[in-house]
Amino acid sequence: MKIAEAPVDNAPALPRVRFRDARIEMSHGAGGKASRRLIEGLIAPLLGGPLLAPLADAAFLEVDGARLALTADSFVVRPLRFPGGSIGELAVNGTVNDLAVSAAQPLALLLTFVIEEGIATETLEAELRAIAEAARRAGVEIVGGDTKVVEHGKADGLYVTTAGLGRADLRARLSPRSVRPGDQVLLSGPIGDHGITILLARGEIDLEADLRSDTRSVYPFVEAILGVAASGLRWMRDPTRGGVATALNELARDSGLGIVLHEEEIPVREAVRGACELLGLDPLHIANEGQFLAVVAPELAEAALAAVRAVPGGGEAVIIGEVREQPARTVLAAASYGGTRVVDMLVGDPLPRIC
Amino acid sequence: MKYVDEFRDPRLIRQAADEVRRLARPDRHYRIMEVCGGHTHAIYRFGLEGLLPGNVELIHGPGCPVCVLPMGRTDDGLALAELPGVVFTAFGDVMRVPGTKGSPLEHKARGAEIRMVYSPLDALKLAQGHPGKHVVFFAIGFETTAPSTALTLLKARQLGLGNFSVFCNHVTIIPAIRAILDSPDMRLDAFVGPGHVSTVIGCRPYEFIAQDYGKPIVVSGFEPLDVLQSLVMILRQLADGRSEVENQYARVVPWEGNLPALRALEEVFELRPYFEWRGLGFISQSALKLRDEFAEWDSERRFDVPGIRVTDPKAAQCGEVLKGVLKPPQCKLFGTECTPERPVGALMVSSEGACAAYYHYVHRMAAAGSLEG
């Protein structure tokens, strides 16, 4: 195995994070600031090499001249089934999407099941069927895995971990460092559907809404962008835990640039907006499982948008903002009446165990 | 979304902001306190300060329940959480509030049974489902949330539920406003009145502000247009030399309040002789406790609550920020020692806290010196 190119480091060095928390709390898994601190302050320093350093959705390896993308994911959602999907579908689509937003064509998955003693075979079989169907739709093959059973009370029915292998698309070289002021931020569709669906599916709050998880493979959209705008495609991310706000804050931080969002352009369904208003949540912090963000050079942004919209399910894609020099490392939301606010990363954990 | 979109209409917001600028006399400085933490949050969340002229200054008031609760009360609540067989429940806002030995979330990570609930009724349901446990609800909030605690207690009594109790930290807004008006530090011109509290207590209790202290107060909604309209109404009163109670939020707030809710409060609670507030000190008759008839469901009477008085960490200037003497970034710990992730003071925790709202929505923009975006 040969190590792929080291990341070009032209952004100013960031202060090193130290993990000082005495214990692991739920917020360390919520995808926001605390997760970032755990990864950068404890995991990466102990395990990291040059390939881990970019902390991207997938790692790239060159094997005998072929450039491969490798990713891993795990799924601990409660409840196992929810409107619009289930843990099995999430496992396939989540892994596929990590490859897709790394500009890699998903090829194969490994799946490991940690099964709780006592779960009905029917439940497991339903998940296996959901996995098979999602894999068929996403065009990936399940090529292996592992099965463990743990005592009753230990695994909430079923945990799934995955590994995904993809073929890197050589037309695109994605990195936060390649992002430039003036680049446009494209969003594939309405945000917050997944997180709010799970929250409501738990039945802990007396709210009902006609809402479904958005879980799906985003590769068809990525493929469409690569077809028309690969040379101007700078960065992509699927905004899962922590939402659009966290994904864009990471980009702002890693690129050293600012991002200004046109708040009124960001598509949010009525049911999601309503639930967020009632619960004091920001849709920008809510998880998605079938959307992605792409930063595209200004001259190719319209073409990229048109390409995404032409793919079935992409009709609600929109340009939500642009990259600016200032304020550095910050995401702002501007309203058309002139008010401007900072959009911060998620702090804490409003919705545990959503994927 | 009905009742939201109309009040976020960019054209109307710009018009209201123009009207504020027109009404504010350039030779005068206006100090207007928004009492409610929900308004503080809305002001930062929607970037409203940037729309106001420099001589219209908004002072953040004490209407953030988590912020005004002294640390000793959090410690008392967490002492209950550490008792064997107790499940401690609280609203999400409380979960990251620092106590002397850490927040409820940190206690949870160490093994205490701590659950976040969206309503006290959820805590009651938890008690019904776990008869072997005792469920404590850490009740907090002004008259906004107190009625739901009262109804929950009425239900607990009706069910004869023996394994549920309330650790009551409910406070009342009027004595706090009076304390602020009587404080020599505070030179205020007017108040943006609390919208949610007023849905329960109505507008009449504010009349002394207008009549005895000669200050205008306008009860306001929480959308950007609501807040700006309320400022327009205040500036008009000041221009005319009037001081009245006006209700901008009439779509939600009835002048007489919510009578069934007030009756439930009356039935369940009575005033404590005094209660400590962060920053404002002891204020007489400013908090609620359970009446004797509800002693069985009163955590403070069922358990041996330590009754700890703890001073805030020395360097933290929460009290000064709460009174509006300091702006959040003027506190020595702001943004360095004290951040939303590692809060030293409660104002950095609650979404209604002035420090958290400033940190989330303004801090980095101001630090980069580019408020204009």
Side-chain angles (χ1 to χ4, degrees):
Chain A
M1 188 176 80
K2 194 183 100 194
I3 287 172
E5 87 279 14
V8 190
D9 200 340
N10 52 14
L14 295 163
R16 212 190 127 104
V17 189
R18 264 200 9 249
F19 191 75
R20 294 182 299 177
D21 304 10
R23 278 165 207 280
I24 302 304
E25 296 168 21
M26 290 303 289
S27 64
H28 292 118
K33 280 190 181 176
S35 302
R36 186 88 184 184
R37 230 178 32 239
L38 172 64
I39 293 167
E40 294 180 6
L42 191 64
I43 297 175
L46 291 173
L47 301 182
L51 276 178
L52 184 63
L55 292 175
D57 286 311
F60 286 100
L61 312 171
E62 284 196 23
V63 183
D64 293 339
R67 193 168 152 85
L68 298 175
L70 194 59
T71 189
D73 213 335
S74 52
F75 299 84
V76 296
V77 64
R78 184 173 64 82
L80 295 179
R81 298 196 82 87
F82 40 83
S86 69
I87 190 169
E89 265 181 274
L90 276 190
V92 172
N93 292 335
T95 312
V96 161
N97 289 346
D98 280 348
L99 294 168
V101 297
S102 307
Q105 182 191 3
L107 298 175
L109 301 183
L110 301 175
L111 283 122
T112 294
F113 302 105
V114 179
I115 306 167
E116 182 184 349
E117 171 190 29
I119 188 178
T121 305
E122 195 185 338
T123 307
L124 183 61
E125 186 178 336
E127 289 316 313
L128 295 171
R129 290 186 188 284
I131 287 167
E133 173 60 19
R136 191 192 58 75
R137 272 202 308 264
V140 288
E141 195 134 355
I142 312 287
V143 295
D146 184 37
T147 306
K148 294 276 189 299
V149 178
V150 296
E151 295 91 334
H152 179 68
K154 299 284 188 199
D156 263 352
L158 178 65
Y159 294 158
V160 184
T161 71
T162 63
L165 184 73
R167 183 193 296 118
D169 192 307
L170 299 175
R171 290 170 293 179
R173 281 294 157 105
L174 306 182
S175 159
R177 308 267 153 86
S178 66
V179 171
R180 298 283 171 267
D183 286 354
Q184 301 290 301
V185 181
L186 183 154
L187 169 66
S188 58
I191 59 170
D193 289 5
H194 178 74
I196 297 297
T197 299
I198 299 291
L199 180 71
L200 299 185
R202 288 207 182 133
E204 288 166 4
I205 41 177
D206 285 334
L207 280 180
E208 279 179 36
D210 185 16
L211 202 59
R212 301 162 64 77
S213 166
D214 58 359
T215 179
R216 60 177 177 179
S217 161
V218 300
Y219 184 68
F221 308 109
V222 169
E223 201 178 16
I225 295 189
L226 287 167
V228 298
S231 64
L233 186 59
R234 319 276 207 210
W235 174 91
M236 286 190 287
R237 178 66 63 82
D238 55 333
T240 55
R241 289 166 312 163
V244 168
T246 300
L248 290 179
N249 266 285
E250 291 189 356
L251 172 62
R253 210 191 65 151
D254 295 344
S255 67
L257 297 168
I259 295 163
V260 177
L261 301 177
H262 317 302
E263 185 136 41
E264 286 132 36
E265 300 294 324
I266 301 171
V268 185
R269 290 189 209 286
E270 283 292 291
V272 172
R273 274 184 70 196
C276 285
E277 285 294 328
L278 276 171
L279 299 170
L281 303 171
D282 187 338
L284 289 168
H285 285 146
I286 307 295
N288 311 280
E289 290 291 339
Q291 306 299 346
F292 72 104
L293 292 156
V295 171
V296 188
E299 64 278 9
L300 286 169
E302 280 305 320
L305 181 64
V308 173
R309 283 185 174 167
V311 177
E316 291 169 281
V318 66
I319 303 284
I320 59 166
E322 67 172 33
V323 178
R324 297 210 187 146
E325 195 111 27
Q326 292 294 334
R329 295 199 195 94
T330 302
V331 182
L332 297 183
S336 63
Y337 56 80
T340 304
R341 67 172 170 119
V342 173
V343 176
D344 206 351
M345 273 172 102
L346 174 68
V347 173
D349 181 11
L351 315 165
R353 306 276 292 278
I354 49 179
C355 63
Chain B
M1 206 179 337
K2 210 164 174 323
Y3 297 122
V4 172
D5 291 336
E6 304 90 304
F7 296 91
R8 292 184 187 172
D9 182 314
R11 193 179 51 85
L12 296 176
I13 291 169
R14 275 195 303 269
Q15 276 177 12
D18 288 346
E19 186 65 6
V20 169
R21 279 192 292 273
R22 200 184 61 76
L23 284 165
R25 276 174 28 199
D27 59 333
R28 189 172 165 184
H29 190 86
Y30 299 87
R31 283 170 57 90
I32 300 169
M33 173 175 276
E34 86 275 2
V35 173
C36 176
H39 285 137
T40 306
H41 184 257
I43 286 161
Y44 288 133
R45 156 87 175 73
F46 296 109
L48 299 184
E49 269 193 335
L51 303 180
L52 302 178
N55 58 336
V56 175
E57 185 186 355
L58 294 174
I59 313 284
H60 314 310
C64 159
V66 163
C67 305
V68 296
L69 191 72
M71 195 185 274
R73 293 294 291 184
T74 306
D75 284 354
D76 282 346
L78 288 171
L80 295 174
E82 286 175 342
L83 295 175
V86 165
V87 181
F88 173 99
T89 60
F91 292 143
D93 257 20
V94 173
M95 301 305 273
R96 288 187 299 117
V97 173
T100 312
K101 288 186 290 173
S103 67
L105 275 186
E106 288 166 292
H107 280 70
K108 178 169 178 262
R110 288 199 293 264
E113 271 208 68
I114 292 184
R115 302 269 190 98
M116 182 179 107
V117 291
Y118 292 94
S119 147
L121 281 170
D122 294 343
L124 184 130
K125 272 188 219 150
L126 202 62
Q128 285 176 296
H130 296 83
K133 302 269 185 187
H134 183 94
V135 175
V136 170
F137 176 64
F138 187 88
I140 187 165
F142 288 88
E143 288 91 336
T144 327
T145 53
S148 63
T149 306
L151 291 173
T152 304
L153 283 162
L154 287 168
K155 186 154 183 204
R157 185 173 68 173
Q158 185 201 337
L159 294 168
L161 198 60
N163 64 328
F164 173 75
S165 66
V166 168
F167 182 59
C168 183
N169 296 288
H170 285 300
V171 286
T172 61
I173 195 71
I174 296 296
I177 296 180
R178 193 182 287 276
I180 284 166
L181 282 163
D182 287 336
S183 161
D185 300 348
M186 307 300 296
R187 299 172 318 279
L188 296 172
D189 295 295
F191 293 91
V192 175
H196 292 147
V197 165
S198 306
T199 59
V200 175
I201 68 172
C203 299
R204 211 173 279 289
Y206 305 120
E207 282 171 351
F208 77 99
I209 299 171
Q211 285 163 13
D212 304 346
Y213 291 86
K215 312 280 187 200
I217 174 165
V218 176
V219 172
S220 172
F222 294 86
E223 296 302 324
L225 187 58
D226 288 319
V227 175
L228 291 171
Q229 270 177 350
S230 299
L231 292 175
V232 166
M233 290 162 80
I234 284 170
L235 291 170
R236 284 200 183 124
Q237 285 199 39
L238 290 171
D240 300 347
R242 287 180 291 131
S243 62
E244 294 167 12
V245 182
E246 289 185 292
N247 185 6
Q248 183 275 338
Y249 203 25
R251 69 182 186 277
V252 174
V253 172
W255 191 265
E256 300 294 341
N258 178 339
L259 296 176
L262 289 169
R263 273 197 298 274
L265 290 182
E266 181 63 29
E267 185 175 354
V268 173
F269 296 116
E270 62 187 9
L271 287 170
R272 292 176 193 263
Y274 55 85
F275 194 74
E276 188 184 2
W277 293 56
R278 176 176 286 113
L280 300 172
F282 284 92
I283 305 178
S284 67
Q285 308 209 312
S286 65
L288 303 177
K289 66 171 184 166
L290 275 60
R291 288 188 183 277
D292 289 344
E293 298 91 292
F294 291 87
E296 205 186 326
W297 295 277
D298 187 345
S299 310
E300 287 178 86
R301 289 193 250 188
R302 280 193 69 145
F303 297 99
D304 197 15
V305 175
I308 315 162
R309 277 205 66 203
V310 195
T311 49
D312 277 339
K314 253 206 189 105
Q317 293 168 294
C318 305
E320 278 76 11
V321 176
L322 257 182
K323 284 192 291 185
V325 176
L326 288 183
K327 300 282 178 204
Q330 292 171 325
C331 170
K332 290 194 281 276
L333 301 188
F334 182 89
T336 52
E337 290 292 302
C338 186
T339 63
E341 253 199 308
R342 305 178 160 282
V344 177
L347 280 75
M348 198 51 108
V349 176
S350 168
S351 62
E352 300 189 349
C355 295
Y358 188 90
Y359 188 94
H360 281 305
Y361 296 129
V362 187
H363 177 45
R364 272 183 294 164
M365 189 162 47
S370 65
L371 262 172
E372 299 310 310

